[in-house]
Amino acid sequence: MLTGTAHSAAKTILVLGDSISAEYGLVRGQGWVKLLENKLETNGHTFKVFNASISGETTIGGKSRIQDLLNKHQPQIVIIELGGNDALRGLSLQASRENLLYIVSSAKKANAKVLLTGIQIPPNYGPDYSKSFAAMFKSISKDEKVPLVPFIFEGFADQPAMFQADRIHPTAQAQPIMLGNVWPLLSPLLK
């Protein structure tokens, strides 16, 4: 028989992301998702964190994996950190939007709360595309009534020393800042 404690111990946060959440170029355990797991434990939360992030993942990959992940982990919260690779590969904004909407609606149908994280792309993609890309996340957040971290790199995006040599992936020193950007929007969902 499950006690209240055993049941609450089974609560799960699923992180569906790309290399930004998959600790690309970092020593294992340094990424913002692992830091989140540590913070939850330190603050007495009983959530387990399952990091389903894959380097190179696009929204279509997330769309193809979401249902199996929901079935397997039955998360109470899903954090979606996808979209950057879509832009890097020049995928259509409409397709990215539809894929993200599918992921969000699938999570909501599974009775999970959703937190969407946005990314911004460099202006060399053209100001219209860059602006439309950022607006896509805001629009999904508003339409689906889910909280949004507008820019996961907020607070360090203009600091080259906070990025690895590829100038795309944050260093270990940037990971606590990323968690700091996520936490204020995630925290209310833990209740």
Side-chain angles (χ1 to χ4, degrees):
M1 185 167 124
L2 284 178
T3 64
T5 308
H7 179 70
S8 62
K11 294 188 289 189
T12 302
I13 297 172
L14 173 68
V15 180
L16 182 64
D18 54 30
S19 57
I20 303 304
S21 298
E23 295 185 315
Y24 178 88
L26 302 174
V27 173
R28 290 292 155 248
Q30 290 184 327
W32 77 267
V33 177
K34 182 61 179 168
L35 298 178
L36 167 63
E37 197 173 348
N38 297 345
K39 185 173 180 103
L40 289 165
E41 192 175 317
T42 301
N43 289 340
H45 292 287
T46 55
F47 282 90
K48 285 175 39 183
V49 179
F50 184 81
N51 191 352
S53 303
I54 298 175
S55 291
E57 185 76 287
T58 59
T59 59
I60 190 70
K63 178 183 177 181
S64 70
R65 294 191 306 129
I66 188 62
Q67 201 56 61
D68 286 342
L69 290 167
L70 291 170
N71 292 341
K72 182 176 181 182
H73 300 286
Q74 300 180 358
Q76 283 67 46
I77 300 171
V78 176
I79 301 173
I80 303 166
E81 182 274 308
L82 288 172
N85 288 315
D86 291 37
L88 292 175
R89 294 175 187 183
L91 301 178
S92 89
L93 285 174
Q94 185 58 35
S96 298
R97 178 183 167 77
E98 288 170 10
N99 295 336
L100 287 169
L101 284 169
Y102 179 89
I103 296 166
V104 170
S105 66
S106 296
K108 287 167 73 176
K109 282 179 194 163
N111 295 315
K113 298 173 185 174
V114 176
L115 175 59
L116 185 62
T117 68
I119 193 79
Q120 294 175 13
I121 53 170
N124 61 328
Y125 281 77
D128 290 344
Y129 185 85
S130 298
K131 192 182 287 185
S132 297
F133 186 79
M136 172 181 71
F137 293 99
K138 291 177 187 164
S139 166
I140 292 169
S141 170
K142 183 180 175 198
D143 293 348
E144 292 297 314
K145 297 176 177 53
V146 297
L148 170 68
V149 177
F151 186 31
I152 198 162
F153 293 173
E154 187 67 46
F156 68 91
D158 59 349
Q159 299 173 40
M162 295 297 247
F163 289 88
Q164 298 174 38
D166 63 11
R167 297 183 177 192
I168 295 172
H169 297 95
T171 62
Q173 291 74 24
Q175 303 299 313
I177 302 171
M178 292 165 62
L179 176 58
N181 291 333
V182 171
W183 184 258
L185 289 138
L186 175 62
S187 189
L189 303 181
L190 300 172
K191 297 177 173 96

